[in-house]
Amino acid sequence: MNNEQITKQILEKFKKKQIGWLQLDTSFENYIDHQELSAVNDFYVDHREGENHKGWQSCCVHGLGITKTQVSQQYGHVDELNAPYYWTALAKLAPKATEFWKNFPAEKFTRVRFMKLAPNGYVGLHNDSPTNMLDNIDLLDYLLPINCSITHPKDCIMEIENHGIVPWKPGSVFLINILNNHTVKNNSAEDRIHMIAQAHVGNQREKFCELIARSVIKNGIL
């Protein structure tokens, strides 16, 4: 199989919820800057208020605004892929973190967010599956959630239903199957800070598929 065939096979397994995650053969470690984390700290807002979550906050480096952390439909837009997303002022406050995404093999992004989970906070069990359109989506042509760990305390656990606990370490990068039910519990005294981007591969298809194929081989999935 070539790289694109491998990628399509893996993404089909994602759609069928047969895989909980894929660790990508890349690292965020060299882009972690604690001065940048301090610079953006005052911009966090509660994320998905009113749902079963505690201490979950977010702010956008790329979005419809720094504090507009939800999908574009929540702000009156119809088409997520063509909503007027842009690099916010936080991109200048966090240039190293932003550089990672600008070098990532994707044509464009919708949301790129810092995500913070407070000590003793939790993200309640949920999934992010577009149930009304999933069968008709080629995930390689849609949006893929890329999740980078900046801080991940030892006693913070992310669990994917039927697949177990994601083996996070600071600097690791995962394609997480958010179509599955998942939850996060921060049982530590420290913040858990990640970045999550919704990536549209577009004209970077060849480079993205090479990354996925390399990651699949490294992890021994196929």
Side-chain angles (χ1 to χ4, degrees), residues 119-132:
N120 298 311
Y122 58 83
V123 178
L125 187 69
H126 73 288
N127 66 68
D128 301 284
S129 175
T131 52
N132 61 328

Side-chain angles (χ1 to χ4, degrees), residues 126 148 217:
H126 73 288
C148 300
I217 292 169

Side-chain angles (χ1 to χ4, degrees), residues 16 28 39 49 54 123 130 133 148 178 195 220:
K16 294 178 179 178
F28 196 79
E49 297 176 85
K54 175 186 175 184
V123 178
M133 54 190 290
C148 300
I178 59 175
M195 288 194 82

Side-chain angles (χ1 to χ4, degrees), residues 64-78:
L64 297 171
I66 292 173
T67 60
K68 293 183 176 180
T69 64
Q70 301 200 56
V71 295
S72 64
Q73 288 86 345
Q74 296 292 324
Y75 309 105
H77 299 280
V78 176

Side-chain angles (χ1 to χ4, degrees), residues 113-168:
R113 298 165 292 162
F114 283 100
M115 307 292 295
K116 180 168 69 173
L117 187 61
N120 298 311
Y122 58 83
V123 178
L125 187 69
H126 73 288
N127 66 68
D128 301 284
S129 175
T131 52
N132 61 328
M133 54 190 290
L134 185 60
D135 290 341
N136 299 320
I137 290 177
D138 181 344
L139 293 180
L140 194 54
D141 291 325
Y142 192 57
L143 292 169
L144 294 167
I146 311 300
N147 191 321
C148 300
S149 172
I150 298 175
T151 66
H152 195 90
K154 179 181 177 181
D155 293 325
C156 184
I157 295 171
M158 179 178 194
E159 186 169 3
I160 310 293
E161 190 172 75
N162 298 320
H163 295 284
I165 297 171
V166 183
W168 285 111

Side-chain angles (χ1 to χ4, degrees), residues 74-112:
Q74 296 292 324
Y75 309 105
H77 299 280
V78 176
D79 186 350
E80 177 76 353
L81 279 175
N82 292 297
Y85 286 101
Y86 64 95
W87 294 104
T88 73
L90 289 192
K92 291 184 178 180
L93 292 179
K96 288 187 71 173
T98 301
E99 181 185 1
F100 175 86
W101 298 110
K102 288 186 174 181
N103 290 329
F104 191 83
E107 179 179 350
K108 64 181 180 179
F109 301 97
T110 55
R111 294 170 296 165
V112 180

